[in-house]
Amino acid sequence: MTTETLKTRFAPSPTGYLHLGNVRTALFNALLARRWGGQFLLRIEDTDRERSRPEYVAALLEDLHWLGLDWQEGPEVGGARGPYAQSERAAIYADYYQRLETTGQAYPCFCTPAELALSRKAQLSAGRPPRYAGTCARLSEAERCARLERGLQPTLRFRVPAGRTVEFTDRVRGLQRFASDDIGDFVIRRADGTPQFFFANAVDDALMGITHVLRGEDHLANTPRQLLLLEALELPAPEYGHLALIIGADGGPLSKREGDLSLRELRAAGYLPEALLNYLARLGHVYDRDEWLEPAELAAGFALEHLGRASARYDAAQLLHWQSEAVRRMDPDRLWLWMGTTVPQYVAPDSRDDFIATVRPNIRFPADAAFWAERLFNADLTLSAESRAVIVAAGSAFFTHALAAYAQHGAAYPRLVEDLKRRTGLKGKHLFMPLRAALTGETHGPELARVLDLMAPERVRRRLQACIQVS
Ligand code: GLU
């Protein structure tokens, strides 16, 4: 692979928010470019006037920045081969349409949607795969003019050459072969003058100097059409790699419950960009090392050869694993902001770092941090059902001893525990559980020594005292 010239792109259609599937496509293209010191370009494929919306463009730019998937060419940053929104490239496309028309490789088609549907139905019922019957391919110049004079708005169709085999080596799936006779002449410009996907996508890749295209395997069948178009236009074709789709744990398509979530939803839930990157970079791609990788390491270890052909299964537990790892690594200032507005209502600024150190291993989301802030700092303690049971079982004598031990040793945890052991004759979970339940109202949670250290002595005493009454 020549390195300086490698150029990949992400070409989303702004018809909705980014989801895990298209974010993964963006990520793989960005990683491939970084791996080889190449460039990553962003192009907005907004040819569908009805469904494309400016707010989706704004959202996807913001989402990509949030993930750290910055592009070197495209909207905001510009570049020599813009504009980077297809809606602004009509004049460029016009030139290429004309080339195809002049050489007879494209022709206007006047068939109505109803006629096309009828022909499709007839072919299907005759057991043949439906493709354009070629009606308008055979119109004479006079017939064409007559139709245009009647004010009909034609589409423009590409004339697919007959009897050809289109071959290409997919960078993920290996050698692919398609018979051109299986491909009907296809529309490259809609009746309203807007370009069809096949055309704008292929022309732009060529004009923007894209060398590698990684995209979903749902586009595989489009590739022979695009290769034929590029050949007709004498434009260079990129290398294509079609990524296996992401499927749900049950083998079906991703459902809302199982990861078919927009990046915005994941972000609102508190997922961290680094967690998503570590997860997605391994969804259909393998690394030699299974441990946490920083963005630069994700790029350094990325290889086309490591992309899998089998569908990639979404695994919520894996994503949670990387989320925990991300929380474990985040610097305190960022973590504090990420925790949101509830935590500072409970945790004073001078306790911030101790609070973070105490709860960090036990939180994955801001809601977890808010939970522990409330548990550890609220004046009133709510006991979970389990902790109430533990406290009752320990009995009031246990807490009288605990109060005495605390009066003597304070938060010096090992000494406190030793003393309590001696006073009660208890050890292990029989000793730690009631203590934990009394102080936090929970039977699991942050390290007890840290909790004790974090809590004001008055509060520790009050909570231990309260258990004498409960039990
Ligand atoms: N706009 C197309 C999509 O979002 C791009 C396909 C491609 O990457 O070539 O599916």
Side-chain angles (χ1 to χ4, degrees):
M1 202 175 301
T2 50
T3 56
E4 300 102 86
T5 51
L6 184 138
K7 196 172 188 180
T8 64
R9 50 68 165 178
F10 179 47
S13 306
T15 54
Y17 293 117
L18 291 183
H19 277 227
L20 283 186
N22 43 19
V23 169
R24 184 187 63 150
T25 301
L27 173 64
F28 284 3
N29 281 290
L31 291 178
L32 181 63
R34 282 185 207 165
R35 163 69 183 87
W36 295 100
Q39 295 220 300
F40 175 54
L41 177 147
L42 177 65
R43 179 173 72 234
I44 308 298
E45 301 212 321
D46 54 353
T47 58
D48 185 336
R49 285 186 191 160
E50 308 252 291
R51 293 171 59 227
S52 299
R53 295 224 220 110
E55 59 266 35
Y56 290 137
V57 176
L60 77 88
L61 299 183
E62 190 192 300
D63 287 351
L64 292 174
H65 284 311
W66 179 72
L67 277 171
L69 298 186
D70 293 324
W71 52 98
Q72 290 75 55
E73 206 179 316
E76 295 178 344
V77 294
R81 309 199 189 200
Y84 295 96
Q86 290 185 328
S87 57
E88 294 166 24
R89 296 176 64 80
I92 298 169
Y93 302 141
D95 181 30
Y96 288 91
Y97 285 131
Q98 207 192 337
R99 290 186 199 191
L100 292 174
E101 282 192 279
T102 322
T103 53
Q105 294 175 99
Y107 58 86
C109 170
F110 300 90
C111 295
T112 63
E115 287 165 342
L116 294 172
L118 208 65
S119 148
R120 205 182 138 81
K121 217 165 138 191
Q123 293 183 62
L124 282 172
S125 56
R128 279 181 284 137
R131 72 181 70 107
Y132 181 59
T135 321
C136 291
R138 296 180 287 270
L139 293 182
S140 68
E141 200 47 42
E143 287 169 316
R144 256 175 221 153
C145 288
R147 282 170 172 75
L148 285 172
E149 269 160 33
R150 277 180 14 227
L152 297 180
Q153 291 282 325
T155 60
L156 189 66
R157 272 186 199 273
F158 178 67
R159 200 187 293 275
V160 174
R164 290 273 309 278
T165 302
V166 184
E167 267 190 11
F168 69 97
T169 303
D170 187 280
R171 298 303 297 259
V172 180
R173 311 169 66 86
L175 184 66
Q176 304 290 312
R177 217 180 249 129
F178 296 84
S180 71
D181 291 343
D182 290 340
I183 307 170
D185 293 352
F186 55 90
V187 174
I188 54 177
R189 188 178 62 209
R190 301 186 189 101
D192 66 2
T194 57
Q196 246 292 358
F197 164 76
F198 305 119
F199 178 85
N201 180 268
V203 166
D204 284 349
D205 281 341
L207 298 184
M208 293 179 182
I210 303 303
T211 60
H212 291 74
V213 169
L214 297 177
R215 60 181 180 182
E217 70 182 357
D218 47 331
H219 285 291
L220 184 62
N222 298 333
T223 303
R225 290 180 175 81
Q226 297 194 296
L227 289 172
L228 288 170
L229 256 176
L230 290 170
E231 182 189 272
L233 288 167
E234 296 177 10
L235 289 172
E239 303 249 3
Y240 290 97
H242 290 89
L243 305 168
L245 297 183
I246 306 176
I247 55 169
D250 58 359
L254 267 193
S255 65
K256 191 94 186 150
R257 193 175 50 82
E258 264 192 342
D260 186 19
L261 295 166
S262 71
L263 206 62
R264 317 225 115 196
E265 289 169 293
L266 293 163
R267 183 178 168 182
Y271 279 97
L272 291 163
E274 298 86 344
L276 291 166
L277 295 180
N278 265 277
Y279 178 62
L280 290 174
R282 294 174 164 92
L283 200 52
H285 175 268
V286 288
Y287 282 94
D288 297 333
R289 286 160 45 204
D290 209 24
E291 69 245 33
W292 177 265
L293 296 174
E294 293 298 329
E297 296 171 306
L298 287 173
F302 187 82
L304 290 172
E305 299 70 36
H306 292 179
L307 290 167
R309 288 189 200 192
S311 319
R313 234 171 241 266
Y314 175 76
D315 182 346
Q318 271 302 312
L319 177 54
L320 284 174
H321 162 73
W322 295 117
Q323 172 72 2
S324 298
E325 289 286 308
V327 169
R328 213 155 68 72
R329 289 175 159 77
M330 204 178 356
D331 81 72
D333 289 341
R334 233 183 108 203
L335 198 67
W336 185 247
L337 284 177
W338 167 84
M339 284 177 176
T341 51
T342 309
V343 171
Q345 289 169 27
Y346 290 104
V347 184
D350 60 351
S351 296
R352 186 197 92 154
D353 289 347
D354 286 338
F355 174 73
I356 289 177
T358 305
V359 301
R360 194 195 279 268
N362 297 81
I363 60 172
R364 280 199 294 228
F365 296 101
D368 303 330
F371 174 86
W372 286 115
E374 195 270 341
R375 283 295 146 127
L376 300 178
F377 288 95
N378 198 21
D380 299 320
L381 179 65
T382 325
L383 299 176
S384 72
E386 294 89 353
S387 53
R388 181 175 293 276
V390 166
I391 289 165
V392 171
S396 57
F398 177 89
F399 298 102
T400 310
H401 288 310
L403 263 173
Y406 185 67
Q408 200 167 341
H409 307 289
Y413 188 70
R415 277 193 268 139
L416 170 81
V417 167
E418 263 324 299
D419 191 11
L420 192 55
K421 221 183 243 179
R422 200 174 41 72
R423 288 170 193 264
T424 60
L426 297 170
K427 56 181 185 188
K429 100 175 196 258
H430 298 290
L431 184 111
F432 299 115
M433 271 297 203
L435 209 49
R436 173 181 291 287
L439 295 177
T440 68
E442 293 296 324
T443 50
H444 58 86
E447 215 181 293
L448 215 43
R450 283 193 182 276
V451 168
L452 212 57
D453 216 25
L454 187 64
M455 237 177 235
E458 184 44 40
R459 175 151 305 154
V460 174
R461 281 195 287 275
R462 225 175 327 115
R463 290 189 175 186
L464 292 174
Q465 184 72 48
C467 291
I468 298 176
Q469 271 98 58
V470 172
S471 47

